[in-house]
Amino acid sequence: MKVIYISLILILSLFSCNQREEKNSPKKEVYYYPEREKFNDRTNLSDISIEDVEDYSELLKEIDRIACQDSIPIINYSSKKGKFKLFPWYECSESNIISCPTFRSRIFIQNDSILTNYNIKHSIDSLGIILKRHLLNNGKDFNYSDSPDRAGIEVYFKEKTKSDEIEDFLINLSERFNQLNKENADTLYLKIYFRDRPLRMVPMPPPPPPKQN
């Protein structure tokens, strides 16, 4: 009887400690992408937790399944500091819609590289620099977007890329974006499209030969 009593006290003590820790721990801030207004007054949102999918191929299937049900997929991921809710670009595979963006309005991230305007390749380590150039370009450099509201990011991972690797990337991208957005009075947008195939870069044609006099 005494052993049971002591065990009960220990259990209650641990439960009380956990409650105090949860109460005293700082509440995580929630970030909404591309912007908070996209989530207002919408009733057809359907959550996808990165932790609940196995790999990139499963993530794409979940996005497509929800999109083809006339719902809006919301990708959820989190870090120690915050929670993130991403409303991605998406198109139901049954719609047969072909998107033809201008390449300068998007940057492409795949295979540990960043591609800008067809054939300019950057290291993934320069993500912060490229993101800043892209979002704050405002038409100055032809290789980047005309304005923040048109600037987008297309992402591709190999099919079997594990979800924790995808989550690490999204957290890194989101934190870099948040810092830029904070520095620019919340005027920027994080728009992400998840590609189902890698971008095939078309070699630029050679310049024409000089004219003969």
Side-chain angles (χ1 to χ4, degrees), residues 14-31:
L14 288 171
F15 179 73
S16 177
C17 287
N18 289 336
Q19 282 191 320
R20 284 199 297 271
E21 286 178 5
E22 290 178 3
K23 186 176 180 180
N24 295 330
S25 60
K27 190 175 181 180
K28 290 185 178 181
E29 188 165 356
V30 182
Y31 299 93

Side-chain angles (χ1 to χ4, degrees), residues 79-115:
S79 67
K80 292 180 179 179
K81 298 180 181 179
K83 295 181 179 180
F84 311 94
K85 300 180 78 66
L86 171 65
F87 177 175
W89 280 336
Y90 66 90
E91 294 163 358
C92 170
S93 59
E94 299 171 3
S95 64
N96 295 319
I97 296 175
I98 299 176
S99 177
C100 297
T102 56
F103 276 84
R104 66 180 297 190
S105 69
R106 301 188 185 181
I107 58 176
F108 301 83
I109 301 175
Q110 62 187 44
N111 302 327
D112 295 326
S113 297
I114 306 171
L115 303 170

